[in-house]
Structure formats: C-alpha cells, structure tokens
Amino acid sequence: MNSSIASNIDNVRAQIRSACEQAGRDAASVTLLAVSKTRPADEIRAAHAAGLTRFGENYLQEALDKIEQLADLPLEWHFIGPIQSNKTRPIAEHFDWVHSVDRLKIARRLSEQRPAHRAALNICLQVNISREPSKSGCLPEDAPALARQLSALPGIRLRGLMAIPEASDDPATQHRAFADLRVLLEQISHDIPGLDTLSMGMSGDLEAAISEGATIVRIGTALFGPRPPKPA
Ligand SMILES: *Cc1c(COP(=O)(O)O)cnc(C)c1O
C-alpha cells in the first residue's frame, strides 16, 4: 500500500511537471494538495513519509479525528468541504487554509474565531464558476464585492479563488471554466493586492487547470485510488 502511494505521488508529480512545461510555467509554482477525505490516518502517514505535507479534508469530524491522530507530524491542513455556520470554530482552530468560503457570514465567524496566537487563516473564496444550480460557491458577479469584504477581516487572509467546475471530459469545456476563474482573479486583483492563489484542478482535469494558471491542485483519486462512497 505504501509503495503504491509513493508511486502514485511520483506519477502525479510527473503529470504536474509536464503540464507546467507545456504551459511554460515553473513546476514550483504549483502546489500539490493531497485530498485525503475518507482515507485513514495511516495512509496519510504513508503519504507524508513519501514526501507530501499538505492535506485537504471535506468532512469536519473525520478531519478533526485525523488531525489529532497525526499531531506528531508537521502537516498543513486545508478544509475544502461545505461549511455549516455552527461548525466554524473547530475549522478556525485546527486548519491552516479554508478553500470553501462562499459567504460573508462564514468568513466573519472564521475571522472572529481564529485563535489570536495563530497566523491569520488562509482563505480562498469559492466561486460557482459553471453556474450550476444548488452548487456551493458564490456567483461570479458577486465575487468582487465579497472578496473586498473578506479582505478587510483581521483573522483571515484572503489568498485567492477556488472553484469546482462542472464535471466534463471535454478539454475545451474544462479550459473555459478555469480561464473564467483566472480572469476573475485578475479582475479582483486590481482592487486587492497580494492575491496569489487559484485553487483549481482535480485528478481528472489538472492539466487544463495548470495551463490556465492553477497554483494549487487538489488531488485525491490519483494519489489514493478510488474512494468508498461518502459517509452519510
Ligand atoms: C474530493 C475533492 C477533490 C479531489 O477529487 P479527485 O477527483 O479525487 O482528485 C478536490 N476538491 C474537492 C473540493 C473535493 O471535494
């Protein structure tokens, strides 16, 4: 199992390198975030032993259990799942990044609840870039005003935008959604200095995301294999 994680990591890194080469980008400009939802702590430990340090989790209680079990390792934890407003405190206390902030109320609570002894919580504003009904993320047209409000909150640090585009096997469709997010970040950056993050691209579309400027790719299946059905 450990050796398969190690070889999967090698393969994903090679994919990232080759996508960067094709895009004329430095491979160091893309951060690999390992999405470890549903994966037991020992697999994360093996992934760390094989060189990964950043892990993304979607389900809060599952994540908190693993963070506690792995407290002896110097890991960076990213929350990437939907956020209920009554669950913000443990997120503010235990994570380094949150990619899935899509409304002001959540951002305010994370800012207020961030422990004073910790650095500001890194935040991405999640955008529903494909305008899918009933999907998470703010509408693209609401992103600039929301980003301005988020950037004023002291306990958080707005880093950029995140999106989960509509699933598609068509490279042109993949590129279009990622390009839309890139252009939106460029637009918002006129107003807000220091934004440096485009969190986009998963196992099935990381090449398109990198060619459109992704700085963090969130990879689960290609590292850990297929997931069991998600917990209820
Ligand atoms: C599960 C998940 C991923 C990883 O998806 P894979 O297709 O397994 O790479 C990335 N981002 C988010 C927000 C996810 O929920």
Side-chain angles (χ1 to χ4, degrees), residues 29-127:
S29 66
V30 178
T31 294
L32 172 56
L33 177 64
V35 175
S36 47
K37 62 183 175 209
T38 77
R39 295 295 168 184
D42 60 346
E43 285 189 37
I44 298 175
R45 203 172 274 285
H48 173 261
L52 297 184
T53 54
R54 301 173 176 91
F55 294 89
E57 291 282 341
N58 294 56
Y59 310 113
L60 183 58
Q61 191 52 54
E62 177 197 328
L64 294 173
D65 291 345
K66 288 188 271 186
I67 290 171
E68 196 183 328
Q69 291 170 54
L70 297 165
D72 57 310
L73 300 180
L75 305 182
E76 189 178 279
W77 292 100
H78 294 232
F79 195 78
I80 64 174
I83 304 171
Q84 292 169 262
S85 64
N86 62 343
K87 300 281 176 62
T88 49
R89 185 177 295 280
I91 296 176
E93 289 175 350
H94 295 284
F95 285 81
D96 302 291
W97 282 72
V98 182
H99 294 231
S100 44
V101 174
D102 62 1
R103 53 199 199 277
L104 183 58
K105 179 183 181 185
I106 297 293
R108 281 202 177 117
R109 292 176 65 93
L110 291 172
S111 176
E112 283 163 11
Q113 293 167 345
R114 182 65 166 173
H117 67 274
R118 296 205 57 181
L121 181 60
N122 295 293
I123 297 287
C124 292
L125 175 59
Q126 184 177 352
V127 181

Side-chain angles (χ1 to χ4, degrees), residues 91-201:
I91 296 176
E93 289 175 350
H94 295 284
F95 285 81
D96 302 291
W97 282 72
V98 182
H99 294 231
S100 44
V101 174
D102 62 1
R103 53 199 199 277
L104 183 58
K105 179 183 181 185
I106 297 293
R108 281 202 177 117
R109 292 176 65 93
L110 291 172
S111 176
E112 283 163 11
Q113 293 167 345
R114 182 65 166 173
H117 67 274
R118 296 205 57 181
L121 181 60
N122 295 293
I123 297 287
C124 292
L125 175 59
Q126 184 177 352
V127 181
N128 183 358
I129 200 70
S130 305
R131 301 176 169 279
E132 292 177 277
S134 74
K135 282 288 172 72
S136 301
C138 69
L139 287 173
E141 58 270 30
D142 295 335
L146 207 41
R148 214 170 301 124
Q149 291 172 306
L150 265 54
S151 67
L153 297 172
I156 64 175
R157 177 177 169 209
L158 182 67
R159 298 294 295 268
L161 303 178
M162 180 275 232
I164 310 169
E166 188 173 15
S168 169
D169 293 334
D170 171 35
T173 306
Q174 295 176 357
H175 276 267
R176 199 172 319 115
F178 293 137
D180 287 348
L181 196 71
R182 170 174 49 75
V183 169
L184 192 55
L185 183 73
E186 286 162 6
Q187 191 190 324
I188 291 172
S189 294
H190 293 308
D191 254 18
I192 305 171
L195 302 183
D196 58 7
T197 301
L198 275 174
S199 168
M200 58 186 197

